Amino acid sequence: MRQVFLESVSVIGPGLPNWETATSVLRGETPLVLADVALPPAALLPPTERRRTGTATRLSMALGVEAAEKAGIALAALPSVFVSTGGDCENCHQILETLASDDRSISPTRFHNSVHNAAAGYWSIGAKSMETSTSLCAYDATFGAGLLEALPLVVSLDKPVLLIAFDSAYPDPLNAIRPIPYPFGVGMVFSPVQTAQSLASVRFALTDEASAQMEDAALEALRLMVPAARALPMLALLANQTAGRVVVDYLAPSQLAIEVTCL
């Protein structure tokens, strides 16, 4: 597999409001203190559409905007890959709660937001993008599946691609079955060529090695709690600006080995 280049990173999670804070935590300079995640409104959308959005769309849009702006690439020019294990989990909870009530009428907005590519659709509207977009999920392997979709796309299209991996939190009682306690997401822009903006070169290959763990107990707990946080070992290499190789979860028995060389 030929190498591609990472142009930018954005992160939002509990106690990690941005990449700058995440960098300090991943370097071990400050401890991870879990806190509620504050999300900005989906400012790219018209007011009518903005009111319909939930956590998943606001989280993914914030990640995408920051990653694209840091890469210096117009939002509309980026093909995109959106990955999430459950999409809008809060919306799923509300639909199931309605179906379990006497009035089983589901609002059109709830149904509209229940499709897995809802976040990608809102992104296309807000970014005014006509570029190709893919939405997928792979349970706990979702981040690895996103990389495996996005990186070959960079090569085949020969242009930068935006990857957004995000998960929203399930309310109870779904949280008891699929415990994802916090929203978390990461945005990355990859380029087929090295630019003055490039942060690192990236190569990947399938392997049967065990996935990497975080040395810090709080970060390791977050990695295990939220599928999108399986990105943390790769983010740690980037934060420490070191060359290295990590293995992230993919579909058993395969895993995804990622080689990162910071520039």
Side-chain angles (χ1 to χ4, degrees), residues 115-206:
V115 296
H116 196 67
N117 65 347
Y122 281 118
W123 171 263
S124 296
I125 294 170
K128 298 179 173 57
S129 175
M130 300 292 286
E131 294 287 345
T132 183
S133 182
T134 302
S135 296
L136 54 84
C137 62
Y139 201 63
D140 285 345
T142 294
F143 176 69
L147 283 175
L148 206 51
E149 176 70 17
L151 301 187
L153 194 62
V154 174
V155 176
S156 63
L157 296 178
D158 195 27
K159 63 187 302 184
V161 170
L162 170 65
L163 169 65
I164 299 177
F166 68 96
D167 286 309
S168 58
Y170 275 117
D172 284 325
L174 289 176
N175 186 57
I177 299 171
R178 179 61 164 152
I180 301 177
Y182 302 101
F184 181 95
V186 55
M188 296 178 171
V189 173
F190 295 97
S191 168
V193 296
Q194 184 174 350
T195 72
Q197 182 68 33
S198 295
L199 303 175
S201 64
V202 178
R203 296 177 185 268
F204 70 94
L206 293 176

Side-chain angles (χ1 to χ4, degrees), residues 15 21 42 48 51 60 63 73 85 112-113 119 129-130 140 147 157 188 200 241-242 245-246 260:
T21 301
T48 303
R51 287 195 293 270
S60 59
L63 292 164
I73 301 175
T85 188
H112 172 86
N113 287 343
S129 175
M130 300 292 286
D140 285 345
L147 283 175
L157 296 178
M188 296 178 171
Q241 297 184 312
T242 58
R245 179 177 180 275
V246 295
V260 174

Side-chain angles (χ1 to χ4, degrees), residues 85-106:
T85 188
D88 192 333
C89 300
E90 184 178 343
N91 189 65
C92 176
H93 166 81
Q94 293 295 337
I95 288 176
L96 293 177
E97 194 169 60
T98 299
L99 291 174
S101 69
D102 293 334
D103 181 5
R104 304 180 66 188
S105 301
I106 298 173

Side-chain angles (χ1 to χ4, degrees), residues 20 29 31 35 39 60 77 116 131 177 196 207 210 237 243:
E20 289 68 28
E29 297 169 351
L39 295 173
S60 59
H116 196 67
E131 294 287 345
I177 299 171
T207 180
L237 287 180

Side-chain angles (χ1 to χ4, degrees), residues 11-26:
V11 173
I12 298 176
L16 304 171
N18 50 53
W19 174 236
E20 289 68 28
T21 301
T23 297
S24 177
V25 173
L26 290 166

